[in-house]
Amino acid sequence: MQSLGRHIIVEFYNCSPEKINNVSHIEQSMLKAAELAGATIINSTFHHFSPFGVSGVIVIEESHLAIHTWPEYQFASIDLFTCGELVNPWISFDHLKNEFEAEHSSSIELQRGQPHLLKKITLDKPDVRDQASKTDRQITYQRSIWFTERDDNIALSLRHTGDILYYKQSEYQKVEIIDSLAYGKTLILDGMIMTTEKDEYVYHEMITHIPSLVHPKLEKVLIIGGGDGGAARELLKHDTIQQIDLVEIDACVIEASKQFLPGIASSFSDPKVNTIVDDGIAFINNCESEQYDLIIVDSTDPVGPAEGLFTKTFYQQVHRCLTPNGIMVTQSESPTFNTHVFQEIQQCYKQIFGNNNVHPYLAYIPTYPSGMWSFSFCSKNSLHPIHDLDKQKAMAFTKQHPCKYYTADIHQAAFVLPQFVQNLINTKKKMKNILSN
Ligand code: SAM
């Protein structure tokens, strides 16, 4: 008697890094490989991880095919495990080698379940057989594809439709859009979730309405980053605003957002919005002094193109470009997820705007690491986010423009910080990171 199963362990080398980092391509190739080998597919699950790599398995009636990829090493390791005479796993091998453009490979076939070591027992228990026979033979193929954002200790996975709607490696970052089942279309930059259709309102309402409803006469606003268009969309609800300059470094982000996130990117067609594709650091350095009533730094995390946006020099330039009564609001990272950066940012702002003019506030964004995110309200001339809030004006605003997160009460509550966050802010920290520049 033949062994129960054939297990081919495959290592593919010098593969196309793009191909073995593209979850849809891998899924389709693996499904085809199973089909060509004559297997009956039952279900499949694939995960693509940030920043690189895909893992997946296809369960077939005749056992399974599994894959793990390391695009950064152009390497893919595959298990082709089949049983029965009808399926030839080597057909799958040939197909996948082509699909992943592997320059060379190594493989070994193991016979699994050596007959001389096996003793068949009669499992003739009626219920077992009946159970099996009861299950309808009609196999409905179940498919699941997951995107996982992770760092060493924390991960968030979103199941999605499997198709990567937008994928471009721009000069600055990898720009992707997927359609997640729980949060709708999702913008991902370098493997980090930036904005989703279902929870973007939290971020965009809180980074815009808090300063806009405090500033006495807001006319000219600068957004650094914000290439999804969400912050500009919310700002346009404030009638006093005459001009919004949006300075986004990556044209691909704007392109992807206009194409797949029209509800967020609606602002780009408004004549008040001036879209400038440029590095925010260069823009602010060349900007004349006292130009803007409000400067919103709606940037990615302090890595890659945004690293320079988390420096003392940059914030000093922002301060210079604010009008005397100006306000800067930034996304200032998470006190729970990137505690050190959060702490150092607060210290840096106080050095530039003064101890009493820096007011961090919190909001809860389900698809951001740990869910707790902070913003920082920094005023050039002691405008206070609570004392200078005209609550009636805020309530009238939300009556006219119904919000999903922002209310006049949330405005005040957001500045009430949990004890551990207050402790973080009051603990003097040696500014070692980029913020000391
Ligand atoms: N809500 C998101 C967050 O909290 O992470 C931010 C969203 S918004 C899409 C961030 C934008 O900042 C990105 O489109 C990115 O390209 C842009 N960006 C990063 N560095 C930049 C720079 N130096 N100048 C201008 N825009 C920049």
Side-chain angles (χ1 to χ4, degrees):
M1 180 182 97
Q2 281 287 336
S3 62
L4 294 182
R6 303 169 71 183
H7 182 182
I8 303 178
I9 298 172
V10 178
E11 310 227 314
F12 283 148
Y13 298 96
N14 291 4
C15 301
S16 143
E18 290 74 30
K19 293 263 166 74
I20 60 168
N21 198 37
N22 181 330
V23 69
S24 308
H25 176 73
I26 291 172
E27 183 211 22
Q28 293 314 314
S29 308
M30 292 286 282
L31 290 170
K32 190 75 185 162
E35 215 182 285
L36 290 172
T40 309
I41 299 168
I42 295 175
N43 68 39
S44 71
T45 298
F46 285 83
H47 259 265
H48 50 127
F49 299 95
S50 69
F52 315 110
V54 171
S55 290
V57 63
I58 296 181
V59 177
I60 53 178
E61 257 203 349
E62 306 79 3
S63 191
H64 71 271
L65 284 69
I67 185 166
H68 305 282
T69 73
W70 288 260
E72 67 276 32
Y73 295 104
Q74 296 180 263
F75 173 67
S77 102
I78 295 166
D79 281 336
L80 306 171
F81 197 129
T82 62
C83 49
E85 310 304 322
L86 303 176
V87 178
N88 176 357
W90 287 108
I91 295 175
S92 310
F93 172 93
D94 294 336
H95 178 70
L96 294 171
K97 190 161 191 290
N98 287 338
E99 287 297 308
F100 303 147
E101 297 171 9
E103 275 173 25
H104 57 94
S105 67
S106 71
S107 56
I108 180 171
E109 174 163 348
L110 302 174
Q111 302 303 320
R112 307 297 295 269
Q114 307 302 324
H116 63 283
L117 296 171
L118 299 168
K119 192 163 101 350
K120 191 163 187 174
I121 59 167
T122 43
L123 249 190
D124 197 14
K125 293 192 186 63
D127 52 0
V128 178
R129 202 173 30 243
D130 299 348
Q131 282 299 330
S133 57
K134 276 213 200 75
T135 46
D136 78 22
R137 301 297 309 137
Q138 180 47 42
I139 293 180
T140 42
Y141 163 48
Q142 301 283 329
R143 171 185 191 224
S144 69
I145 304 235
W146 297 76
F147 163 78
T148 298
E149 174 179 345
R150 62 176 181 191
D151 77 348
D152 301 346
N153 310 313
I154 296 179
L156 171 85
S157 294
L158 289 180
R159 187 171 178 202
H160 64 95
T161 59
D163 310 315
I164 309 290
L165 304 177
Y166 184 96
Y167 182 98
K168 262 198 194 149
Q169 179 61 47
S170 80
E171 196 185 331
Y172 305 100
Q173 55 208 342
K174 186 168 68 176
V175 182
E176 293 173 278
I177 295 209
I178 60 172
D179 192 357
S180 72
L181 305 184
Y183 285 92
K185 297 197 180 61
T186 300
L187 171 66
I188 300 167
L189 299 181
D190 276 348
M192 293 174 274
I193 295 170
M194 286 297 125
T195 200
T196 80
E197 285 176 314
K198 290 273 172 54
D199 69 358
E200 56 86 10
Y201 60 86
V202 183
Y203 181 97
H204 291 127
E205 289 178 7
M206 292 302 275
I207 202 168
T208 54
H209 301 325
I210 297 251
S212 304
L213 288 163
V214 169
H215 195 285
K217 196 163 179 310
L218 195 57
E219 291 179 356
K220 203 173 164 193
V221 182
L222 169 64
I223 303 173
I224 302 270
D228 50 33
R233 179 199 65 200
E234 293 304 310
L235 285 169
L236 287 168
K237 294 176 181 172
H238 297 271
D239 307 336
T240 61
I241 295 180
Q242 304 309 316
Q243 180 182 335
I244 300 170
D245 291 344
L246 187 153
V247 179
E248 164 59 55
I249 197 169
D250 194 337
C252 293
V253 174
I254 300 172
E255 177 189 72
S257 303
K258 282 182 178 174
Q259 213 176 329
F260 294 102
L261 301 168
I264 302 176
S266 54
S267 55
F268 286 111
S269 53
D270 190 291
K272 286 184 179 174
V273 177
N274 204 4
T275 306
I276 302 151
V277 176
D278 189 6
D279 182 343
I281 300 156
F283 182 86
I284 206 86
N285 290 346
N286 303 329
C287 178
E288 277 176 46
S289 298
E290 303 195 353
Q291 283 302 302
Y292 294 100
D293 303 309
L294 171 60
I295 297 179
I296 293 178
V297 185
D298 175 5
S299 77
T300 37
D301 300 328
V303 288
E307 192 167 351
L309 300 177
F310 290 79
T311 60
K312 196 171 178 184
T313 329
F314 171 74
Y315 295 124
Q316 283 165 330
Q317 289 290 13
V318 170
H319 186 276
R320 176 182 64 78
C321 298
L322 285 170
T323 52
N325 219 4
I327 300 169
M328 172 183 83
V329 166
T330 66
Q331 72 87 357
S332 46
E333 302 294 320
S334 167
T336 41
F337 180 67
N338 19 39
T339 310
H340 299 315
V341 177
F342 170 76
Q343 278 184 294
E344 290 183 33
I345 274 181
Q346 299 308 315
Q347 270 175 232
C348 177
Y349 293 161
K350 285 180 181 162
Q351 286 177 4
I352 297 167
F353 287 84
N355 278 346
N356 304 328
N357 295 338
V358 176
H359 310 275
Y361 58 103
L362 299 176
Y364 300 88
I365 304 166
T367 56
Y368 280 14
S370 80
M372 179 188 269
W373 212 258
S374 84
F375 303 90
S376 294
F377 177 110
C378 307
S379 57
K380 191 168 179 174
N381 179 19
S382 324
L383 267 175
H384 192 285
I386 307 294
H387 307 156
D388 294 312
L389 171 69
D390 171 345
K391 208 167 174 186
Q392 295 313 317
K393 177 178 150 191
M395 289 159 80
F397 173 80
T398 51
K399 206 148 182 286
Q400 191 190 351
H401 303 283
C403 294
K404 288 197 271 183
Y405 192 92
Y406 178 87
T407 67
D409 293 331
I410 280 281
H411 183 129
Q412 295 176 307
F415 290 88
V416 180
L417 304 176
Q419 190 57 54
F420 84 92
V421 178
Q422 293 180 38
N423 297 348
L424 287 176
I425 293 168
N426 302 331
T427 315
K428 266 240 156 293
K429 251 190 83 62
K430 187 169 164 342
M431 293 222 270
K432 54 180 175 2
N433 288 344
I434 50 177
L435 280 156
S436 50
N437 303 345

